[in-house]
Amino acid sequence: MNFALQRKNMVETQVRPSDITDRRIIRAMLNVPREVFCPHQVRATAYCDEPVRVSGSAAATPRHMAAPRVLAKMLQALELGDNDSVLEVGTATGYGAAILSRIAHRVTAIEVDQPLIDAARSALEATGAVDVVIVQGELAAGHAPAAPYDAILVAGAVPEVPRSLLDQLKDGGRLAAVISGPGIGHLTQWRRLGGAFDSRVMADATTPLLPGFDRPHAFVF
């Protein structure tokens, strides 16, 4: 298959029309081969305008790569600076971390599933994103040892964002997540303002749920 042509078509028909104005995101999505981050059996669907399942079974929570346009919107909501330190929560096979590594200065990615970590490390090495640090841990806990972060990407839908994760932002730092609901979800940006957090809905968005966020957590706006 001509993945290079599919990648260009993905950007031109899915990403650009979604009001993605950050040229760094567009450039990264043109250059990072998304198919490398997909299991071999689903590589033909790598550039479809929908989530791609990368793991899971009937007995486990399936994991997915977000649809390209949704990921692009989430990345733009982070308002990244070139020198930013970023945490990706739920990196799965590492595609989001690979895109982030083309934009931000330092990327830490947390993942709970060891087979996904192994796949992510292999894919990141294959695509030259060797400066991404992947750690294993519970997703909702984030990764406090490398905090505070300028930005945090929650790479999936969650019912709410725990205060413990928001607390890992620097003052002025941004967190982007899709908040799930009974209908369509909402891409929401949080910004830390001293000891408080402001939030605003950026767009309607739907993406598969991340595991580990199903218990109630306190959070603030």
Side-chain angles (χ1 to χ4, degrees):
M1 300 185 69
N2 190 338
F3 287 121
L5 178 59
Q6 290 188 30
R7 188 157 55 251
K8 181 179 179 181
N9 289 340
M10 173 195 75
V11 170
E12 296 300 328
T13 64
Q14 301 176 42
V15 178
R16 288 189 192 272
S18 299
D19 297 323
I20 303 304
T21 57
D22 189 329
R23 295 182 179 181
R24 299 169 304 165
I25 296 172
I26 292 172
R27 185 165 56 247
M29 296 187 86
L30 279 171
N31 290 324
V32 175
R34 184 173 163 94
E35 72 276 6
V36 175
F37 297 86
C38 297
H40 287 280
Q41 64 271 24
V42 296
R43 283 191 172 182
T45 66
Y47 296 98
C48 293
D49 186 18
E50 59 186 23
V52 177
R53 183 166 169 164
V54 294
S55 80
S57 65
T61 301
R63 298 293 300 282
H64 298 77
M65 294 168 57
R69 73 172 72 235
V70 174
L71 176 61
K73 282 180 174 289
M74 295 175 76
L75 292 171
Q76 186 157 277
L78 291 177
E79 301 177 9
L80 293 170
D82 296 342
N83 294 317
D84 280 359
S85 171
V86 184
L87 173 68
E88 185 188 24
V89 177
T91 194
T93 55
Y95 178 69
I99 300 295
L100 285 166
S101 74
R102 302 290 183 105
I103 303 171
H105 175 66
R106 181 167 65 94
V107 179
T108 303
I110 186 167
E111 178 51 55
V112 67
D113 186 274
Q114 186 61 51
L116 285 176
I117 291 173
D118 295 340
R121 286 176 174 156
S122 177
L124 289 165
E125 181 178 3
T127 55
V130 294
D131 52 344
V132 176
V133 175
I134 302 180
V135 296
Q136 185 174 30
E138 295 299 322
L139 303 186
H143 186 62
Y149 303 98
D150 297 285
I152 297 176
L153 173 66
V154 180
V158 296
E160 57 189 39
V161 175
R163 172 65 186 254
S164 58
L165 194 54
L166 290 167
D167 280 340
Q168 294 177 31
L169 287 171
K170 293 180 181 178
D171 190 15
R174 293 81 55 204
L175 181 148
V178 173
I179 300 301
S180 60
I184 195 166
H186 300 288
L187 170 57
T188 305
Q189 179 205 71
W190 283 260
R191 187 183 299 272
R192 183 166 194 163
L193 304 169
F197 299 89
D198 182 44
S199 71
R200 59 175 176 150
V201 174
M202 308 292 285
D204 292 340
T206 300
T207 197
L209 287 166
L210 281 181
F213 286 84
D214 50 347
R215 292 182 180 179
H217 294 277
F219 67 103
V220 295
F221 293 93

